[in-house]
Amino acid sequence: MKIVALGYVMYLFIVNPLSGNCQACSLWDEIEKKLKQKNREYSVIVSDSEVTARKFITTYLQSTTIHAVTVIGGDGTMSSVIQDIAGTGIPLAILPAGSGNDTARMFRLTTHPDQFIKGLLEHRTVAIDLLNINDRFGITVAGIGLDARIGQRVNHSFYKPILNKLGLSSFTYTIAAIIELLSFKPFKSTVTIDDMTYTYAITWLTACGNTSSYGGGLVVCPGASPTDSMLNITMLHDVGRMNILMRLFPALLRGQPILRKGVTYRTEKEITIETDRPILAIIDGEVIKSTPLHVAIHEKALNLILTR
């Protein structure tokens, strides 16, 4: 870590050493050389711990002028960082090094160190909305049910690092999805949207999108935009297991809106989801907690640096 006296205008870097089979550390070595060449002040922490990363950020927030916070890692690392900079006006920069990288894909962020440094220093930003899920912020998609179970399986799978190393990370989610589709038990849900309540006896998932995709590019909320101040909600309900496996899931893999019975799309500001048993929830690829959930849009809560 480079030690810089508090009070400087600086860049903070959070590097997750486990992202992309240690790709993040190699990227950081290149970025650090370029920062030194340009005589830029910075401080960095290399850690895969959310607690450690957030403590690092809050220490500097108290007494330092921060020009930008940069994540070198995946969506999970990014998600932990935005908890402390949302609403502060401090921009976020992302150099993707994870397996999913859905945020970087959405904004077409570069993976090349030279282009990244150029974009970081040019400091072109866009104000984007955030999801607020039971007081936790997220950028991409919040989901409950089948997709959360898939995410949990992905995070603990033995094949994830193998496929990452082979450059086949997108198949990790597909494999986990097929396994869960064969075993997941649907649940009863009560959904409140715009003061109207709907009950579904057989619920597979409810996904609330600020962006369109998760799981390395699966388009679950095809109309979602992170700048329109709205949630795009996709509900999968009252349909049989084999119908999902043979018809609906293949359509999801193709990135198409699924205009079939059992799939409901809504565009709203907020949603409350209650279930007949505790059901896992996921945000930005990380399992967070179980239902009940309240999901709402926090408008223009984050400035994202565009490094295209």
Short mmCIF file of all heavy atoms in Angstrom, two decimals, residues 85 98 129 141 149 202 263 302:
data_model
loop_
_atom_site.label_atom_id
_atom_site.label_comp_id
_atom_site.label_asym_id
_atom_site.label_seq_id
_atom_site.Cartn_x
_atom_site.Cartn_y
_atom_site.Cartn_z
N ILE A 85 -20.31 5.22 -0.79
CA ILE A 85 -20.15 6.42 -1.62
C ILE A 85 -21.46 6.84 -2.30
O ILE A 85 -21.52 7.89 -2.92
CB ILE A 85 -19.04 6.27 -2.67
CG1 ILE A 85 -19.38 5.18 -3.69
CG2 ILE A 85 -17.70 5.99 -1.99
CD1 ILE A 85 -18.38 5.14 -4.85
N GLY A 98 -13.81 -9.53 -12.79
CA GLY A 98 -14.55 -10.63 -12.20
C GLY A 98 -15.00 -11.63 -13.25
O GLY A 98 -14.54 -11.62 -14.39
N ASP A 129 -29.02 5.69 -11.47
CA ASP A 129 -29.86 5.29 -10.35
C ASP A 129 -29.24 4.08 -9.65
O ASP A 129 -28.43 3.36 -10.22
CB ASP A 129 -31.26 4.89 -10.85
CG ASP A 129 -31.91 5.95 -11.70
OD1 ASP A 129 -31.72 7.15 -11.39
OD2 ASP A 129 -32.61 5.60 -12.66
N VAL A 141 -29.22 -5.99 -10.76
CA VAL A 141 -30.52 -6.64 -10.60
C VAL A 141 -30.63 -7.23 -9.20
O VAL A 141 -29.70 -7.87 -8.72
CB VAL A 141 -30.71 -7.77 -11.64
CG1 VAL A 141 -32.07 -8.45 -11.46
CG2 VAL A 141 -30.57 -7.23 -13.06
N ARG A 149 -30.93 -18.61 -5.68
CA ARG A 149 -30.37 -19.94 -5.46
C ARG A 149 -29.30 -20.27 -6.50
O ARG A 149 -28.27 -20.89 -6.20
CB ARG A 149 -31.49 -20.98 -5.49
CG ARG A 149 -32.33 -21.03 -4.23
CD ARG A 149 -31.60 -21.75 -3.11
NE ARG A 149 -31.36 -23.14 -3.49
CZ ARG A 149 -32.23 -24.12 -3.30
NH1 ARG A 149 -33.39 -23.88 -2.72
NH2 ARG A 149 -31.93 -25.34 -3.67
N ILE A 202 -47.83 -20.07 -7.11
CA ILE A 202 -46.59 -20.73 -7.54
C ILE A 202 -45.65 -19.66 -8.10
O ILE A 202 -45.88 -19.13 -9.18
CB ILE A 202 -46.87 -21.80 -8.62
CG1 ILE A 202 -47.81 -22.87 -8.07
CG2 ILE A 202 -45.56 -22.43 -9.10
CD1 ILE A 202 -48.25 -23.88 -9.12
N VAL A 263 -45.11 -15.28 -17.33
CA VAL A 263 -44.08 -14.24 -17.22
C VAL A 263 -44.77 -12.87 -17.23
O VAL A 263 -45.49 -12.55 -18.18
CB VAL A 263 -43.06 -14.32 -18.36
CG1 VAL A 263 -41.99 -13.24 -18.19
CG2 VAL A 263 -42.43 -15.71 -18.41
N LEU A 302 -25.48 7.78 -7.88
CA LEU A 302 -24.07 7.46 -8.07
C LEU A 302 -23.55 8.06 -9.36
O LEU A 302 -24.21 7.99 -10.40
CB LEU A 302 -23.89 5.93 -8.14
CG LEU A 302 -22.45 5.42 -8.28
CD1 LEU A 302 -21.65 5.68 -7.01
CD2 LEU A 302 -22.45 3.93 -8.63
#
